[in-house]
Amino acid sequence: MRFSDLKFIGTLTALSLASVAGQAIGNDTDSGEKLPVVYTVEMNGQMGTDIHEDMMAKIVEDAKEVQPDVIVLKMNSADYDKNYHLMRPDPKEFGKFELEAYVGMIRNFQNELAGTRQVIWVEDSVGVASLIAMSWCEMYMSPGARLWGLQKLHDVAQNWSDEDVREKMEAAWEGMGKGFFEMGCKGEFAKELGDAMMDPENQLSANFKGRKVIWVSNFDGLWGIDNSEEQVANFDAQSAEDTMLSEGTVESLEDLMFLMGYREFEHNTQGDEIAAKHKQQWRRAYEKCLSTYEDMQAGRGMGNSTDPARQLMARKRMLDDILRQMTRYNAVERRMNDEYGLTVDRLKGMIEQIEDDIRRAREGGRGGRGGSFGGGRGGGGKIR
């Protein structure tokens, strides 16, 4: 018999086996058993704005109504893209260091949905998002995923010139960071993992005792991760799986569910929809605030009136518009605060001052203390 004939028979056999397997799956579906419901949450974009505690609170309430069997949080938040030769990072899009808010967000999510199996699937994570990824006990990663970027917690403290203060700030930031590791069932080795992933001076390797990984703060272990004193320990999908930090590497939701022991499932996308809607709405509000503020800085939108009271009223209307959006979306406030020093409380004070100036202008006095707003964007534009 020729090889081509053997190959043809082998192909028929494989097809036959596949058909039998398909029938078996079909029989399981036809048995009347309820398929497990998998509720997915796309955590896509900037930490602290696109991925925000308000958004996650809405998802918690929705998931409590759905009562899924599994919740899959898919993390895709990277401060730097993968084009290492032509990187053009946008500092405005770097993750926000709102660590206390994130701790509350994660605890609320995990506690309120404690009866539901929760996993995090890291598609890509560089920056403060990696703390969030480390906060769940069951982690999976995509083939090209990165789990990087926690050196920023160390770098934040370097802004202090006084050495004693700097050391205290390092300890405080890194101590908060280790709390995320503890939430992710890494309490026994939170110090070893946290120190290596947040402080470039620390090393990391791993030993194995059966299925248990023993992390050590040097490079003497069986599996070396980081022996550099200039950079922190970073993981890719392979190194995370090799050291059992990740449960496995998956290319699709179907792959993930198969590894988790589910051959079939019902996919609920309501969490994805809530996350996408939040991202669209806050970014639209932010662009409106930005446009209004820049018009006000440039003197646009004031009309042609030379009456001081009318000019002040126009400025007040613009500030009222900005305040409305910032009050509605905390993500907008965070961006406007970082870029221009504008907070809700600061705006309220400015509006009150303008209202006083309007009254004085109408009474024939001199107004205008509320009419000076500093320089333009990127040139001393923050209001202090």
Side-chain angles (χ1 to χ4, degrees):
M1 186 177 292
R2 292 177 301 176
F3 176 75
S4 59
D5 295 331
L6 289 170
K7 186 177 180 182
F8 177 71
I9 293 172
T11 301
L12 288 176
T13 303
L15 289 171
S16 177
L17 289 172
S19 176
V20 170
Q23 290 175 5
I25 292 173
N27 290 336
D28 287 345
T29 303
D30 295 339
S31 66
E33 294 182 4
K34 182 179 179 295
L35 291 176
V37 176
V38 178
Y39 185 100
T40 53
V41 180
E42 287 276 359
M43 303 175 76
N44 184 12
Q46 184 183 35
M47 275 303 310
T49 56
D50 297 320
I51 305 165
H52 191 278
E53 53 271 25
D54 291 346
M55 175 200 87
M56 294 293 280
K58 291 179 182 177
I59 288 171
V60 165
E61 294 307 310
D62 186 67
K64 285 164 73 173
E65 291 186 11
V66 173
Q67 296 185 333
D69 299 280
V70 181
I71 297 175
V72 176
L73 300 114
K74 188 176 182 182
M75 175 64 75
N76 188 358
S77 177
D79 290 353
Y80 299 93
D81 61 28
K82 296 181 180 179
N83 188 349
Y84 304 113
H85 300 291
L86 295 172
M87 292 179 69
R88 296 186 180 90
D90 183 356
K92 292 190 300 181
E93 294 292 338
F94 288 173
K96 306 294 182 187
F97 279 84
E98 303 287 343
L99 299 194
E100 291 186 11
Y102 300 153
V103 168
M105 175 184 83
I106 293 166
R107 283 180 177 162
N108 180 62
F109 196 99
Q110 293 180 348
N111 292 339
E112 290 293 317
L113 301 169
T116 304
R117 185 177 181 183
Q118 302 175 24
V119 305
I120 189 138
W121 172 13
V122 178
E123 187 169 63
D124 201 23
S125 180
V126 179
V128 70
S130 294
L131 277 182
I132 311 304
M134 296 296 288
S135 302
W136 267 268
C137 300
E138 193 172 354
M139 178 197 298
Y140 297 82
M141 295 178 72
S142 292
R146 300 169 293 175
L147 191 63
W148 294 10
L150 291 183
Q151 182 167 337
K152 284 193 170 183
L153 273 79
H154 176 269
D155 293 343
V156 166
Q158 305 312 304
N159 295 326
W160 299 88
S161 57
D162 184 278
E163 186 175 351
D164 289 338
V165 175
R166 185 167 61 250
E167 289 180 358
K168 290 178 181 178
M169 291 303 297
E170 282 180 19
W173 277 103
E174 291 173 12
M176 288 186 68
K178 289 169 194 172
F180 291 84
F181 289 76
E182 291 170 355
M183 286 190 290
C185 304
K186 301 165 186 71
E188 183 179 357
F189 297 105
K191 176 173 172 51
E192 289 78 6
L193 272 171
D195 284 346
M197 293 183 73
M198 291 184 281
D199 191 333
E201 295 182 0
N202 286 275
Q203 298 181 336
L204 184 68
S205 60
N207 287 316
F208 300 90
K209 187 175 181 180
R211 289 286 298 171
K212 184 177 181 180
V213 183
I214 311 296
W215 295 99
V216 289
S217 297
N218 55 52
F219 205 64
D220 299 332
L222 181 65
W223 201 279
I225 300 296
D226 171 43
N227 66 345
S228 169
E229 294 184 356
E230 298 179 357
Q231 66 179 24
V232 298
N234 293 314
F235 289 88
D236 58 22
Q238 189 62 57
S239 62
E241 185 174 1
D242 289 341
T243 55
M244 290 184 273
L245 188 64
S246 162
E247 303 289 334
T249 304
V250 298
E251 294 187 358
S252 66
L253 182 61
E254 288 72 22
D255 287 348
L256 172 60
M257 299 315 299
F258 183 80
L259 277 185
M260 291 175 63
Y262 300 94
R263 289 193 308 164
E264 296 180 275
F265 60 92
E266 178 185 331
H267 185 190
N268 185 297
T269 62
Q270 288 173 208
D272 299 333
E273 292 160 12
I274 292 171
K277 184 177 180 181
H278 164 80
K279 182 176 181 178
Q280 180 187 56
Q281 289 179 334
W282 91 259
R283 284 191 174 268
R284 185 164 51 211
Y286 162 70
E287 291 298 333
K288 183 178 179 181
C289 282
L290 200 60
S291 175
T292 301
Y293 181 70
E294 291 182 343
D295 283 346
M296 187 176 64
Q297 292 269 64
R300 296 188 292 267
M302 302 296 164
N304 298 321
S305 175
T306 58
D307 178 39
R310 288 183 178 275
Q311 290 185 346
L312 287 167
M313 289 173 65
R315 288 185 183 274
K316 181 182 178 300
R317 281 194 298 271
M318 298 173 94
L319 287 175
D320 283 337
D321 287 342
I322 296 171
L323 178 61
R324 246 189 318 273
Q325 300 301 333
M326 286 173 57
T327 302
R328 186 177 182 187
Y329 299 106
N330 176 255
V332 175
E333 181 180 16
R334 285 177 179 168
R335 286 292 284 265
M336 295 299 287
N337 183 31
D338 283 352
E339 293 175 42
Y340 296 109
L342 285 175
T343 65
V344 166
D345 288 341
R346 177 66 172 142
L347 275 177
K348 287 179 179 179
M350 292 166 62
I351 291 169
E352 288 176 4
Q353 181 63 65
I354 289 179
E355 289 172 344
D356 288 342
D357 290 342
I358 290 171
R359 281 193 293 270
R360 281 192 294 272
R362 285 175 171 170
E363 292 167 0
R366 293 183 60 189
R369 277 192 292 165
S372 178
F373 296 92
R377 188 178 179 185
K382 284 196 173 184
I383 301 171
R384 300 296 185 189

